Structure formats: structure tokens, C-alpha cells
Amino acid sequence: MLLRNKRNLIIAGVVVICLIIVTVFFIFTGGKNADDYVEDYFALLEDKDYSKMYDMLSDDPKVDKDVFEERYTNIYEGIEAQDFSLKINSVEDDVVDYSLTMNTVAGKVTSNNQVKVTDGKLAYNEALILEGLESDYRVRVSSESATRGRILDRNGNELATQGEAYEAGLVPGKLNGEADYERIGSLLNMSSAEIKDEMSASWIKDDSFVPLKEFAKDSSGQALVNQLIAIPGVKVNTTTVRYYPYGEATSHLTGYLQQVNAEDLEKHKGEGYDESSLIGRSGIEAAYEADLKGSNGHEIRIVDEDNELVKTVASKDVEDGKDITLTIDVTLQQSLYNEYQNDQSASVAMNPKTGEILALVSTPSFSSNDFILGFDNEQWQALNDNASKPLTNRYRSTFVPGSSMKPITAAIGLDSGAIDPDKDLKAEDRWQKDSSWGNYYVTTLHAPTPNNLRNALIYSDNVYFAKAATNIGKDDLISGYDRLEIGSKIPFELSLNASQYQNKDSDFDDQQLADSGYGQGELLMNPVQLAAIYSAFVNEGDIIQPYLIMNEKPDQMWVENAFTKDTANTIKDDLIGVISDSNGTGHAIYHNDIELAGKTGTAEIKASQDDTTGTELGWFTVMTTNSDNPILITTMVENVKDRGGSGYVVDHMQAPLNSYLYK
């Protein structure tokens, strides 16, 4: 009995001791297994908390903490490691076999390793950082920059491409100290303080080349080179830059590049941008940034102490950017720019049968090359303070259309049955619906007799179209505008401001209704949309969908049956009269060998009917009707008052139109 009790006591004691051991283990380990500690370790890696990672290593890690943190930082930031994923393959005798997968600058990398865990501490080995790494090995990352895609016109002419520029810089060991900074700065439009700031970088050595500024590689640039290299320590190299061969003529269209900012880096995280990257900031450069940019090539290698290759960890081939071919005819683009370059204008040229945009011009303009080579403060300020606003892209904007809307009013009226094209509305120089308008009258410069639709379009009679809009009525006129998508987002590769027929919360009273009939009121039209609507008059009532990227023609019309076939043909015939009739407002551009149709427009911009200080916008749309070389051009010019009104636009349309028709 005593023996049995003694045996039971021994068993109980063993159990108690085991429980104590287990309890102590749980107290010191928190109940974790070896693989749990490995998971904790790499969770800290995601947060870049290298200090706490070091604290999880065994008491004899064989590496100094500062060295450990610096090594992890340099390697993981160098390979741009992110999005870590850990897989525990097996655990045996507290040795954890794992695979760590991460995304890097050279693609996905999986690092396989084993680590011993003792009392919650990991035994350090270099492969914890990267498989194949040893203490005297280094990780190297090499890169090959992608060539940005070109922007081409329909004939393969380069609108944006790779070019060369001069790059001036300093070699510190060859300078006369800071004695020549002022002289160098005066040549490069930099202050001595700016040069000192550039020369204060920690990486600079006596034989380093410290770049200061890029400038054009042309005759004036060569003259500057000759002055610069006469100064000790100044060196000038040739560098590759983005180049826009047609300068101001295409800059609003192509857009330009700028160096990325913090917002860009955050927005495009993981897309291969760094602090030195350029990004499309406007125009085609911005809209097609993802296609044009390409993807840099990268290779991650482990090398030994002699810089000999040990292992290629990952590699990614360079992918050059794609070329973007536009429907633009750069010869026509240049011609329109040359004619209106001194005006504040917008021009849209298109093939009215296909919708291909042949030219998109905004004047005055700027040169995209200046954004590449850089502005000094004075140049940038002058560009922004220019009263003509060369940075404003006018073909994106909306403007009061004036008489350019009359054919549209007429077409809506014909389709609604409110306009009888042969009816004489009685010629009047001034008119009001009734006495409720007080002193407000619609006036016109030309009141033809008979006062029918054809004559009203040929002579551009405001009163006729005010009466016509009143007869159409508010509901039918607005319904017509809505059918034409006026006020809706314009489907186009570049962002365009939406047109409108009334302001928000507008009452659209009878007076506004009448004014809308001849293109005033609260109407604002985008030039691209106005041109597209005019295409309906040579497409039996269908509005063509404009497009800008070659071989990407939309599958369907923008608005099918916007007008009936009969209405479209009636308006087309009347617009032919605007050009062919000697009394027509567009007769100055008449061609006896090519049938043209068109409409002028003069929009008044003033505070009230009595305001004599306001300005005027001039419009002109001209199009072929049966040519083998179809074209439609819409141009708007600001400030044409006392310069011939819309006649100024007509006169300057001759050269661009002829350059295209007779090429």
C-alpha cells in the first residue's frame, strides 16, 4: 500500500514538473511556435521596422545593429521591395523553412531560406535578407531606361520625339572656387545662390560633373556653349531630351512633360516612377501617358567582394513606349497656326465624312520645348502674365457662338414644323415680341426681302432667327439642343469643356429664347462640338463622331438622325448660298471649282444691349460638300470688333483651306 502511494506521488510529481515546464515555456514564449516568430519578424519588414527586427535576433547576431539596419534599408529600398508574402514550408526541430515573395523593381522575387528559432529568437544569417546573400556580398541593381514613344501625325511626321540638347554643368576640381559663379549664372539665367545650392550635394567629388541647366542645341545654343567653355570648370555635354519639332504650332495638342511631384509619385505608386521621372502634364502626352511612357528594364544581381556575379536574382526587359499616331495633318495644323498666331483663336479641322480630326489649333501658344529645357522665374512669370493667355487651350473651351448657331436653329425649326422655309417673316431692322420686353429689341444689320429662311442665312438676319426661335418655342428648342447633346460630355480623346444652352437655374424666358435663336442668350459652344454638328448637313442629318487617334474610328455616328435628311439637305443648300451668293457673308472664300458651304458668326460680348465697350468674337465654319478631299474647318477668333468682325476670320481662312484642297 505504501509502495503504491509512493509510486503515485512520483507520477504526480513528474506531472507537476511537466506542467511547470510548460507554464514557464508559455510565459516566456507567449504560447508561440517557431513559425509564429518568423511570421512576426517578416511582418516588421512590411513596416520597415528594422530596429525591432534586429531585437528579434539571437543574442549573438554576428552583425552590428547599425550595420544591420543600413544593410536592410539599402537593399530593400534599392530593389524597391514591397507587397511581401510569407509561406511557411515546414518546421522541424525549431528550424523553419520558408519562402518570402515580394514585388521588386525587376519583378516578383521569391527568396527561400531556413532559420533556427531558439526561445523566440532568430539565428541571423544573411539569407534572411535575400537568398544567396553572404556577409561580404553586395546587391546591385542596374537599369535601362525605356525610350518614350513618339507622337506622329497621319503621315508619319514626328510631333514629339527624342532630340538632343546641350547640358551645362560644373566640375568642382577645375573651378576657380566660387569666383565665377556670378558670371556662369548670368549666362545660364541662374543666381549665384542657386548654383551654390546645386554644388552643395553630398555626392559631389572633385571630378564629378554637376549638371546645372539644359538649353537648345541650335545656333544660339552653340554661341552660349562658346562663352561657357571659356570659363574654367564649366563643361557642356550633349544629352537626350523630349523634342517637339513643330514648337508652338502643335504644343497645345501634344502637351508637354514635367518632372514628377510628390502627388504624382503617390498617385502612380508602383508604376515605375521615381523622383527624376518625367510625366505627361497636358495634351496627348498626358492623355496617353501609360502608352507613351514604356517600362524601364531592371536587373537585380548578387556580386561577391570582387564584384563578380554570384547570382541574378531577377530581371525585367526594357519595354519602350508605344508610338501614338494622330489623325492630324501637320501641314494644315501649321497653316492654321500661321494665319491666326497673333490672335486669340481656336481652330478645328475635320474630315466631315469620317470624323478624323485634321487640325486642333489654339493661339497664341507656347513651346513645349521650353517646359523640357526649363524656364527661369522671369520667363515663367512673363508667360503667366501675358494678357493674351498663351497657356489657355481655347479649343477645349466654350464661347458664345453668335450667328454660327443660326443653321442649327433653322434645322430644329424645320424638323419641328415651326419653320416654313419659304414663308416671308417680314424684314425688320429691330423687333420685340411684345411690350413686356420694355426697351429691349433684337436688332440686325441686314434684313433681306423676301425674309425667308434662305435669305436669312445668306444675309445672317438676327431678327428672323429671333422670331423663328419664338415660333419653335422653349420646349421644342431645348428638346432639339438635348438631341444634339449640347450640354452633355463630349466623347473625345482629349478633355473638352461641355457646351451649354442655359446657365444653371436659368428661367429661359421669352427674351432668352429669342436671343438663343441667333446664338446669343446663354449659349456657349465648344468648337469641336460645333464642327461636329455642322457635319450633319453633309451627312444627311447624322452627326459624325470626331476622333483623334489614327485607326481607332468609332463604330457609330455620334448622333444618328440628328436632323431629317430633307432638313439637312435644305440647310446645306442654304449654306452653299452663304458662300456662292455675292451677298453672302462668306462669299469672300468662294471657289468656282469646288463647292463650299459655310456660315459666319459674330458674337457680342457685352454687359447689356446699350454697352458700347464690349468686344466681339468672330466665327467661320466652311466645308466641302462633294469633294474627293472632304474637309470642314471651324475657327473662332476673339476681339474682332473694328477688325472686320467675322469677315476677318473668313479672309484668313483662305490660305489654310487652299493649302489642303490643292495639296
Side-chain angles (χ1 to χ4, degrees), residues 318-590:
V318 64
E319 294 181 17
D320 290 335
K322 299 176 183 177
D323 291 344
I324 301 295
T325 301
L326 307 181
T327 56
I328 294 294
D329 182 323
V330 76
T331 302
L332 178 59
Q333 178 89 10
Q334 278 188 302
S335 184
L336 282 164
Y337 173 79
N338 290 340
E339 281 300 314
Y340 298 107
Q341 61 181 302
N342 297 318
D343 296 305
Q344 294 162 270
S345 77
S347 293
V348 180
M350 66 185 295
N351 182 325
K353 295 296 185 180
T354 65
E356 294 168 292
I357 294 294
L358 302 172
L360 273 180
V361 180
S362 177
T363 65
S365 187
F366 59 89
S367 175
S368 296
N369 292 313
D370 291 337
F371 282 89
I372 298 298
L373 299 177
F375 296 94
D376 60 38
N377 291 335
E378 185 176 335
Q379 291 170 325
W380 179 243
Q381 195 64 42
L383 192 62
N384 280 276
D385 292 345
N386 190 319
S388 296
K389 300 186 182 303
L391 292 174
T392 297
N393 188 331
R394 288 174 168 82
Y395 65 71
R396 290 187 57 200
S397 303
T398 57
F399 304 90
V400 180
S403 297
S404 293
M405 283 298 289
K406 290 174 181 175
I408 297 171
T409 302
I412 293 172
L414 288 171
D415 277 348
S416 69
I419 292 180
D420 177 349
D422 299 320
K423 184 177 180 179
D424 187 342
L425 297 189
K426 306 303 179 184
E428 296 182 75
D429 293 331
R430 61 200 299 263
W431 171 83
Q432 62 177 196
K433 180 183 177 183
D434 53 43
S435 60
S436 67
W437 287 12
N439 294 324
Y440 186 82
Y441 286 83
V442 175
T443 61
T444 189
L445 294 176
H446 306 285
T449 300
N451 202 236
N452 57 24
L453 176 59
R454 180 176 178 82
N455 281 340
L457 283 170
I458 290 173
Y459 286 83
S460 200
D461 181 354
N462 291 344
V463 169
Y464 178 94
F465 286 98
K467 293 177 180 178
T470 302
N471 292 335
I472 293 169
K474 172 184 173 180
D475 291 343
D476 282 347
L477 188 64
I478 288 178
S479 176
Y481 290 155
D482 289 340
R483 187 170 67 252
L484 303 180
E485 301 289 342
I486 295 174
S488 300
K489 181 179 179 180
I490 301 171
F492 194 59
E493 291 92 337
L494 298 178
S495 175
L496 303 173
N497 293 346
S499 304
Q500 69 165 55
Y501 53 79
Q502 67 181 117
N503 297 333
K504 187 178 180 180
D505 301 325
S506 169
D507 291 335
F508 209 93
D509 57 19
D510 287 346
Q511 188 174 308
Q512 184 178 330
L513 173 64
D515 287 341
S516 298
Y518 58 98
Q520 292 286 150
E522 295 174 356
L523 275 162
L524 295 173
M525 290 297 296
N526 174 269
V528 176
Q529 183 167 23
L530 186 65
I533 292 174
Y534 267 71
S535 74
F537 303 133
V538 291
N539 285 319
E540 298 186 340
D542 293 335
I543 296 177
I544 200 76
Q545 171 67 62
Y547 69 101
L548 190 55
I549 305 301
M550 201 71 179
N551 300 321
E552 292 190 11
K553 182 179 180 180
D555 295 332
Q556 58 189 19
M557 291 286 183
W558 183 2
V559 183
E560 292 187 16
N561 302 314
F563 310 118
T564 65
K565 179 179 178 180
D566 288 344
T567 288
N569 287 333
T570 296
I571 300 300
K572 180 184 72 173
D573 290 342
D574 291 348
L575 296 184
I576 291 171
V578 171
I579 305 297
S580 62
D581 192 298
S582 60
N583 295 305
T585 55
H587 184 65
I589 207 167
Y590 173 73

Side-chain angles (χ1 to χ4, degrees), residues 588-600:
I589 207 167
Y590 173 73
H591 288 57
N592 57 18
D593 58 337
I594 298 177
E595 187 175 73
L596 299 174
K599 184 69 187 77
T600 58

